[in-house]
Structure formats: structure tokens, C-alpha cells
Amino acid sequence: MARDREASQSPQQQYTVEQLVAVNPYNPDILSDLENYVNEQVSVTNQTYSLDANLCLLRLYQFEPEHMNIQIVAWILIKALMAMPAPDFSLCLFLIPEQVQMEEQFKTLIVLSHYLETARFRQFWDEAAKNRSTLEVIPGFEQAIQAYAIHILSLTYHKVPRPVLAEAINLEGPSLDKFLEYQVANCGWALENSTGRSPLIVLPRNEFNHPELKKNTEDSMPLDHVAGIFPILG
Amino acid sequence: MASAYDYDDSSARHAPSDASYDPTFVPDSVKTFVAHLYRHIRDKNVFETHQMYEGGFHRLSDRMFRESPWPPVEAIAPYVDNDHVFCLLYREMWFRHLYARLSPTGRQRVESWDNYCSLFGVVLHGVVNMQLPNQWLWDMVDEFVYQFQSYCQYRSKLMNKTEEELQLLRQNDQAWNVYGVLNYLQALVEKSNIIQILEREKEGLEQFTATDGYDYGDGSNVLKMLGYYSMVGLLRVHCLLGDYHTGLKCFAPIDISQQGVYTIVIGSHISAIYHYGFANLMMRRYVDAIREFNKILLYILKFKHYHDKSPQFDQILKKNEQMYALLAVCLSLCPQTKMVDENVSTQLKEKYGDKMLRMQRYDDEAYAVYDELFSYACPKFITPSAPVLDEPLTNRNQDAYRLQLKLFLLEVKQQQLLSGLRSFLKLYSTISIGKLATYMEVDEATLRSLLSTYKHKMHAVDTDGSIISNADLNFYINEDIIHVVESKSEKRYGDYFLRQILKFEDIISTLDRVKFD
């Protein structure tokens, strides 16, 4: 995961937003810089993201609610949804006053987050479709959610039935075939067709869908425990 | 804190009603106390300073100032050469005593803020060459944050304020301003270079932990230790604001897996771990929270009797109880019971065994218990923004708490069915989705979601992209069959043998010393 990526590669800017936040964590003067940065995060060209910068902005809003920009808050929350499985969405909600969360657009985002948190992908995509206008303007939204769905599936499944995958990533028919082709070629996926049943997708092995791969740390002993008997051995 | 905040300029109202009482009167014992304390500080005698600070001050408070404040600073100044810095330190203690035993007025709250500004101003911009006890420096940071929190509560309860009090709030809108508070703590961290000092210590280039943060050369420990404790202070302030991620980030330079200076003063130790654990609980990092709660609860269990005479003893016991409640919550969401020491586990069962059983259910009653334990054990959340003083006056002091509680219960709700899932999965090594769905009385799609929810909630992704597992049981699905991986609870012989080897070595060396006549 490439969270907290470099804020901006453009050379005319002296500081990255991360540096700005690190030097001024509690400075109201950087509010407009942070708002501009949120604009950049939802623009087609950049698609960057920084939880630290966004939390810093929400903090400034929390300290001076009269400066709060509702549109910016909504974008921050959508970007936080896209950062799933990280808990960024709740981390942001903790800082947003309850009466703001009662507004319609935020209620919708909270419902969407609830579906993702409880892995109810069908409901999520249905609800998302109803709110296309707010979500589709954010570049990379669909792909980010698909990546999250795949992350969850590969923690859970070794072999996943095609319909389950289709529902989770909201792809069907030819577009799903194309997607699978890409994953097989690039990400170590495999397809398994058995007669009479729905085809299976074999996800790459990891220690969670194949627990015997888990390194056995139980047997090992930290050095400082052993160090205690060195004087005796010597 | 007492809820009656009278607007009252003179603190003498707390004094005995004796008409001859003079607030500027300085009893001989106080004269001696301040003169000696002043001398010990000048002599850089940390031991004696600590004795007077911890023992003397509380003894005198108990004896003479149970219900009245100490003499004002102007009255004692002549006995300490009118020393500017000593007077600031004295006032800091003066206010602390007032907050602890009486109820501060609005004006006194503002004056205490001004005093902290002057005190930290001297430390940050002046030359301080004192050597003060760690306990005292911790108390300063801790009290600073406490008074900030207390002020936020005070000014968000507007309904019973008098016109004078409101006027005072209007005039002093900079007092205990959240930017001011955070920037002082941040400035202490930066100016002290404490982060670099801890980095250099890791490379063996500097001593900090080995000397408990004291500077035995010609230097001073004051800025360095205030900076160090400010990291704990920042963790706490951010928790009070609901900003758990930033709180842990501020605290990150302190490596809690190692013996650290923060453990020397028990108040700092408890505050650090309580807030660390709470933040991790809210961020769903249950294993980290359980590990640290377990460690400190065991520590308190072993050592609390050393502190039963300490003025902080009540506070220690209260935080102890709260951390058991938080541990009960963590273990209900993530039953990693084998991480908990036997002694802690016994205590936990005694205190919360019944409630923990109820939290396992998936009905409203479970909910009510989560609500109860969270409300009892959470920090006193604050609303940091300035109050709105013109509109119809309202009390907003519960807003922040209600929001955090609501979001926490939403998380509980999302995990509500997981405990049922766990109890079924424990019974099988393999089971088909269809069969388990029937047993759990849900449809197959819901069960698949539930299984994925379990995986999601029990695994966190670290900043470097690696996956941290909090899972108490492991399973994976092959098409329609769930395979549960038995987690063998293997005995850890290694540790056991090491302990025995050391023990025998000890016995042998004792025997060697025995002389026969």
C-alpha cells in the first residue's frame, strides 16, 4: 500500500504537504494549503493521499468549526473509504462533529463504510450506484474499492467461486474475464474449471488463506531472554 | 471536580470564618519549607528537593491547608530572594493544590494558565540550570493537560454561568486555547531535542535511560524531561480530542517495548499506557492494547502497595479499575486470552467475569454492557472549540463523549455476530458454508460476509503494507468448505528452562557462600 505518498512532485513547491504538516501540526495558517491539497487528491492528474494531512485539516476544523468546508470534508471521507482496509474512515469520523455527520451526504457515506466494514459488497455497490454523482467524480474510486475487496477475499479464501468474486468487485461477463486474464498474467491467480459447478479462482497463497505458511514465532525466543544466562555459561 | 464554580476573586472564602484570618500570613513552617526548598534547588540537591516536594508539601497541606489555599506567592517571595523562577514554580504548586482540594474560580483558572505561559516561557527561552525531580516535572505536564481539560469542560457548561463569568470568558478567549496548549507541548518536545536524544541513545551515542533522564554534569534536566513527558501529554491531549492516530504518532519516539524513563514515575507510566491502550482499542489494534494493559496491570498488582501512602494512590486505583474494564472490552472483541497473565486473568474474572459473558451475547444487553464499560473507562473527551456565548446558552460538555461512544458502539455492532461465529468454528475442523449457515440461522451470502468481516476486523494493515494479525483463530475457505486451523497451544519450554537455570544458579551461589564451622 502506498499510503502517505509524496505530496507533490512539482518542483516549484518548496515543501511537500507532509513536511508542512510535520513542521506546523498545530498552525491554523496552513488551512488553505491543506484544503488545496484535498482538491489535488481528488483531481484526475494527481490522485495522491495523505491521512496525516487530512487529519490535520479536520483537526483545524474541529478547533475552529466556523471555517469548516463541507465539500472538503466529504472528499476527505471518500478518500478515506478508498484507503480501506485501513481504519482511516473512522479516524476521520472521530473528529467530525455529530451534527455535521447527520447531513444527508455524510449519512450515505457512513452507510457505505458500514457495508464495506461488514464485507457486504452487493449492498455496497447498489448503494454506490445510487450516489454515482458524488463518487464517480473521484478518480480511482472503483479500483480502490475493488482492491479492498480482493484484499479481504485473499485473507479469507484459497479458492473462491466466480460468483462470489464477481459480486465483491462488481464485474461480470466479459469485463470480469478481462480482469481475470490480467490477474492470472500478473498477480499469480489461477482458474480452475470443474464440470457442473461454477468455476473457481485460485488466489495466491499467503499465511492467512494458508495458515501453515505462517512463520512459527512461538518457538523462537528473544535474545534478551537468553542473554540472562550468558554469564553462567561463561 | 466539584461542579460549583463560583465567580469569586478572593480565595479567602475557603478559609476558616475566623475574622482574624489573614491570607497573606505566612506560618513559620511555610517560611522554613520554602526557604529550604529554594536552597536545595539552588544546590542542585535532587534528593532533598524530591523529599520536600513529595513529602513535605503534602504533609504541610494536610496539616495546615486542608480547606484553604497556600499563602499567595507575594507573601513567600521575601523568603526566597524574590527569585523569579522559584516563584513561578511555587505558584504552579499553589494552583495544583487549589485544583486538587478546592474549586478554582474562573479567574484563578485564567491566572493558572498565565503562570504556565510564564513558566514554560522561561524554560523554552531562558536559561534554566536547575535539576528537578522527575516526579515534579511529570506533575507539571500532567497538571497542565488536566487543567486544560478541566477548562474545556468548565466553559462548555454555559447554562448556569453568571454574567460575570461569561464576561470573563469573553475577555480571556486566549486562556487555555487549544492551539496554545498543543504548541507549548510541541515546543517543549522540539526545543528539548528529546526525539534526537532518544535516537542517539539507540545508537549508543548518548545516555538517557541509564541516568533516568538526569544530567549529572553541569547541565539541567528540566527542558529535556519536560520535552520527554510532553510526548505523553500530547498522546493524552489527542486522545481527549478523539485523534488517536496523531496521539500515537506523537508518542511513537518512546519505545514501550523497552524499559524506559516513562516508567520511573508511576503516574507517567499509567497515563502513557492507559492512553496508548485506549487509542489502540479505538484503532482496532486489540493485540497491542491487550499486551500493554496486561503488562501494566500485572505491574500494578505487584507494586501497588509501595504507593499506598502516595498522594496519587487513589488515582492509581481508579486508572487500574478503568484499565481492567478496557481489557474486558478488548478481550470481548478479540479473545486473545492466552496473552493475559494468570494473576491478571483472575482479577479480571472477579471484576468483570459476569459482564464479559454478557458481552458475548448478540442482543441489546451485550450492547448495554459495552456502553457501560466504555463510559466508565474512557478519557474525559473535550470539545476544543471556543464556546458560542451569544445564542441561548447551552451545555455542550457531553457532545464529545457522546460522539466517541456512538462511534465505538457502531464498531461493536459491526462485530456483533463474530462471537457467535467463533463459538461454532471452534467446534469443527472443516464445515461447509451451507451447514454452518443453517446452524447460525442466516443465509449463505450473509455467512460469507460474516466470515470476511471476521478476517477484516482481525487483521490490520501496517503503514509499510504488512498485515498484522489479531486473529484468535485461523481458517480459510476452499470453495464451499471452511477449514479451521487448529491453533495448538504449545507450551513454551524455553522460557521455563531459562528461569529455572537462573534460579538454580542463584541457589548454588547462595550455597557456596554458606560456611560450615
Side-chain angles (χ1 to χ4, degrees):
Chain A
M1 290 219 21
R3 296 178 59 198
D4 297 354
R5 254 173 293 178
E6 282 278 287
S8 168
Q9 259 76 47
S10 52
Q12 76 270 16
Q13 224 170 326
Q14 272 181 307
Y15 293 104
T16 64
V17 174
E18 269 82 7
Q19 286 166 331
L20 199 65
V21 172
V23 180
N24 306 279
Y26 317 112
N27 181 356
D29 296 341
I30 66 169
L31 187 122
S32 60
D33 290 307
L34 293 174
E35 288 182 338
N36 289 337
Y37 182 55
V38 175
N39 276 311
E40 209 179 292
Q41 291 175 47
V42 299
S43 75
V44 187
T45 42
N46 275 295
Q47 295 194 33
T48 48
Y49 178 65
S50 162
L51 175 65
D52 283 318
N54 292 354
L55 285 179
C56 184
L57 179 55
L58 290 175
R59 181 157 72 225
L60 298 180
Y61 287 157
Q62 187 191 25
F63 296 170
E64 294 173 277
E66 63 276 16
H67 293 154
M68 185 183 290
N69 179 329
I70 292 294
Q71 181 57 62
I72 295 275
V73 176
W75 282 339
I76 288 178
L77 285 176
I78 298 174
K79 288 297 278 189
L81 274 186
M82 292 163 64
M84 297 269 297
D88 298 13
F89 191 84
S90 15
L91 295 181
C92 293
L93 278 192
F94 287 135
L95 300 181
I96 300 171
E98 200 176 356
Q99 70 269 24
V100 177
Q101 294 187 23
M102 302 303 255
E103 286 184 29
E104 215 45 56
Q105 57 173 331
F106 295 116
K107 274 196 200 154
T108 308
L109 291 175
I110 291 169
V111 167
L112 287 172
S113 140
H114 185 72
Y115 288 147
L116 289 181
E117 285 286 335
T118 50
R120 281 181 280 176
F121 293 105
R122 154 123 343 130
Q123 282 104 316
F124 171 83
W125 292 112
D126 288 350
E127 187 65 29
K130 284 184 227 154
N131 296 279
R132 212 156 272 188
S133 53
T134 31
L135 300 174
E136 253 176 19
V137 293
I138 312 292
F141 181 77
E142 240 178 51
Q143 292 89 317
I145 304 299
Q146 285 169 338
Y148 163 67
I150 289 166
H151 160 82
I152 290 297
L153 290 182
S154 51
L155 286 182
T156 316
Y157 290 89
H158 177 215
K159 294 179 186 173
V160 58
R162 186 178 155 117
V164 175
L165 176 72
E167 185 179 290
I169 60 176
N170 201 32
L171 290 177
E172 281 174 84
S175 44
L176 180 57
D177 289 335
K178 219 170 123 200
F179 177 83
L180 286 173
E181 206 176 291
Y182 178 85
Q183 295 289 336
V184 169
N186 295 288
C187 304
W189 291 24
L191 305 178
E192 203 177 282
N193 285 307
S194 48
T195 42
R197 285 185 307 187
S198 61
L200 293 174
I201 292 102
V202 187
L203 297 172
R205 293 154 70 101
N206 59 49
E207 62 175 278
F208 304 101
N209 65 17
H210 248 89
E212 65 269 21
L213 291 181
K214 197 170 158 191
K215 283 173 271 115
N216 212 340
T217 46
E218 313 260 316
D219 286 343
S220 62
M221 208 184 296
L223 180 63
D224 55 327
H225 287 198
V226 187
I229 64 162
F230 284 176
I232 302 168
L233 296 174
Chain B
M1 289 300 311
S3 55
Y5 303 112
D6 296 8
Y7 179 74
D8 185 351
D9 235 349
S10 88
S11 38
R13 76 193 165 95
H14 298 292
S17 51
D18 187 352
S20 68
Y21 177 77
D22 173 7
T24 60
F25 169 71
V26 183
D28 284 345
S29 49
V30 172
K31 282 180 202 159
T32 324
F33 176 80
V34 291
H36 280 174
L37 183 59
Y38 176 56
R39 206 187 67 221
H40 289 318
I41 292 176
R42 294 204 56 165
D43 293 350
K44 291 195 168 190
N45 187 335
V46 183
F47 180 78
E48 285 299 332
T49 307
H50 188 233
Q51 293 296 314
M52 295 202 67
Y53 171 78
E54 267 284 87
F57 187 74
H58 292 288
R59 264 197 304 279
L60 275 178
S61 296
D62 275 344
R63 218 171 64 216
M64 313 185 60
F65 307 106
R66 265 184 183 284
E67 280 156 21
S68 63
W70 276 63
V73 67
E74 299 78 23
I76 64 98
Y79 307 101
V80 293
D81 302 341
N82 288 304
D83 184 271
H84 178 57
V85 177
F86 185 87
C87 286
L88 292 173
L89 290 172
Y90 178 84
R91 282 196 96 200
E92 200 271 338
M93 290 167 73
W94 190 93
F95 282 115
R96 189 138 35 97
H97 168 262
L98 180 86
Y99 268 79
R101 301 204 176 217
L102 314 163
S103 43
T105 64
R107 185 168 300 281
Q108 284 166 336
R109 290 169 184 275
V110 174
E111 284 170 358
S112 180
W113 161 254
D114 289 339
N115 191 60
Y116 274 115
C117 293
S118 312
L119 182 60
F120 290 155
V122 170
V123 173
L124 287 167
H125 307 298
V127 184
V128 173
N129 64 353
M130 297 175 293
Q131 192 89 258
L132 291 180
N134 283 334
Q135 175 76 51
W136 194 348
L137 295 168
W138 160 252
D139 287 345
M140 268 181 222
V141 174
D142 191 43
E143 182 72 11
F144 178 65
V145 176
Y146 166 73
Q147 290 191 15
F148 164 61
Q149 172 223 300
S150 171
Y151 194 77
C152 288
Q153 297 284 341
Y154 166 78
R155 70 171 181 191
S156 56
K157 269 189 269 185
L158 292 175
M159 271 158 78
N160 296 316
K161 292 272 185 294
T162 64
E163 190 42 51
E164 274 170 308
E165 284 173 312
L166 294 173
Q167 192 55 37
L168 200 70
L169 285 175
R170 266 181 217 111
Q171 280 166 0
N172 296 289
D173 59 343
Q174 285 311 299
W176 296 110
N177 176 288
V178 63
Y179 288 116
V181 170
L182 285 167
N183 279 319
Y184 269 121
L185 294 172
Q186 178 71 12
L188 288 167
V189 172
E190 278 171 15
K191 198 81 192 282
S192 66
N193 282 321
I194 185 64
I195 296 177
Q196 291 79 351
I197 291 173
L198 292 173
E199 276 302 315
R200 285 169 58 81
E201 185 184 38
K202 268 185 216 151
E203 293 159 28
L205 300 170
E206 188 138 6
Q207 284 206 323
F208 180 73
T209 313
T211 60
D212 291 353
Y214 289 108
D215 200 322
Y216 292 112
D218 245 357
S220 157
N221 69 334
V222 172
L223 177 59
K224 197 164 57 173
M225 285 311 293
L226 284 177
Y228 182 85
Y229 287 133
S230 289
M231 292 190 283
V232 183
L234 281 169
L235 169 64
R236 177 171 170 200
V237 174
H238 283 297
C239 281
L240 295 176
L241 294 167
D243 193 349
Y244 310 108
H245 171 85
T246 309
L248 289 176
K249 211 174 160 181
C250 293
F251 184 64
I254 299 180
D255 180 0
I256 53 166
S257 68
Q258 302 288 319
Q259 190 67 25
V261 173
Y262 72 99
T263 60
I264 299 170
V265 176
I266 189 157
S268 137
H269 192 181
I270 290 179
S271 178
I273 299 303
Y274 166 79
H275 291 101
Y276 174 89
F278 187 81
N280 275 293
L281 164 62
M282 296 303 271
M283 293 179 72
R284 284 205 315 258
R285 303 207 165 192
Y286 305 115
V287 164
D288 288 329
I290 293 168
R291 189 192 330 103
E292 295 307 321
F293 282 142
N294 173 59
K295 263 179 16 200
I296 196 160
L297 290 169
L298 190 62
Y299 177 86
I300 298 174
L301 200 61
K302 276 188 187 157
F303 295 110
K304 73 174 170 209
H305 60 277
Y306 288 119
H307 299 278
D308 55 5
K309 299 247 163 26
S310 146
Q312 289 97 27
F313 192 58
D314 287 345
Q315 193 53 32
I316 294 171
L317 292 185
K318 170 142 194 236
K319 278 277 167 284
N320 185 54
E321 292 302 311
Q322 286 182 321
M323 287 191 286
Y324 273 108
L326 292 177
L327 182 60
V329 168
C330 288
L331 287 171
S332 302
L333 293 170
C334 175
Q336 292 278 10
T337 41
K338 59 179 187 295
M339 289 180 66
V340 181
D341 177 271
E342 221 173 288
N343 296 296
V344 175
S345 186
T346 313
Q347 294 279 317
L348 185 68
K349 276 205 192 86
E350 236 169 73
K351 293 173 199 286
Y352 292 110
D354 179 44
K355 291 200 166 125
M356 285 176 78
L357 276 179
R358 273 155 55 201
M359 282 190 280
Q360 291 311 305
R361 300 162 50 159
Y362 29 96
D363 54 13
D364 287 350
E365 201 188 332
Y367 236 43
V369 180
Y370 276 111
D371 183 329
E372 179 196 329
L373 293 193
F374 182 90
S375 303
Y376 165 68
C378 69
K380 282 200 164 45
F381 298 110
I382 50 172
T383 303
S385 54
V388 184
L389 294 168
D390 331 299
E391 282 171 59
L393 298 173
T394 49
N395 284 355
R396 318 219 57 150
N397 55 316
Q398 293 282 310
D399 287 9
Y401 151 71
R402 272 199 296 264
L403 174 62
Q404 303 300 315
L405 173 67
K406 182 177 154 185
L407 293 173
F408 171 73
L409 290 179
L410 180 65
E411 181 65 50
V412 170
K413 190 176 173 192
Q414 288 171 357
Q415 300 195 32
Q416 215 170 20
L417 294 173
L418 298 186
S419 65
L421 180 67
R422 278 189 181 95
S423 50
F424 277 110
L425 288 182
K426 271 185 206 149
L427 303 175
Y428 298 91
S429 56
T430 53
I431 183 169
S432 75
I433 298 252
K435 206 159 144 195
L436 184 55
T438 320
Y439 290 159
M440 290 191 67
E441 297 170 8
V442 294
D443 60 42
E444 289 192 20
T446 308
L447 179 61
R448 284 189 193 270
S449 291
L450 211 51
L451 290 159
S452 289
T453 305
Y454 177 88
K455 288 282 188 171
H456 168 55
K457 296 293 188 187
M458 291 299 125
H459 294 85
V461 178
D462 213 349
T463 34
D464 64 0
S466 61
I467 295 170
I468 310 159
S469 171
N470 292 308
D472 50 309
L473 56 89
N474 292 305
F475 66 84
Y476 62 94
I477 307 170
N478 236 345
E479 196 178 359
D480 292 321
I481 307 290
I482 309 164
H483 297 261
V484 183
V485 183
E486 209 184 333
S487 56
K488 285 161 282 180
S489 60
E490 35 194 314
K491 272 241 172 1
R492 302 183 61 177
Y493 297 110
D495 262 349
Y496 179 78
F497 276 119
L498 278 182
R499 269 206 305 277
Q500 297 304 320
I501 290 170
L502 288 172
K503 208 163 159 188
F504 281 127
E505 187 60 24
D506 212 38
I507 294 170
I508 291 168
S509 70
T510 314
L511 285 176
D512 279 348
R513 281 200 300 275
V514 175
K515 290 199 180 75
F516 296 102
D517 293 324

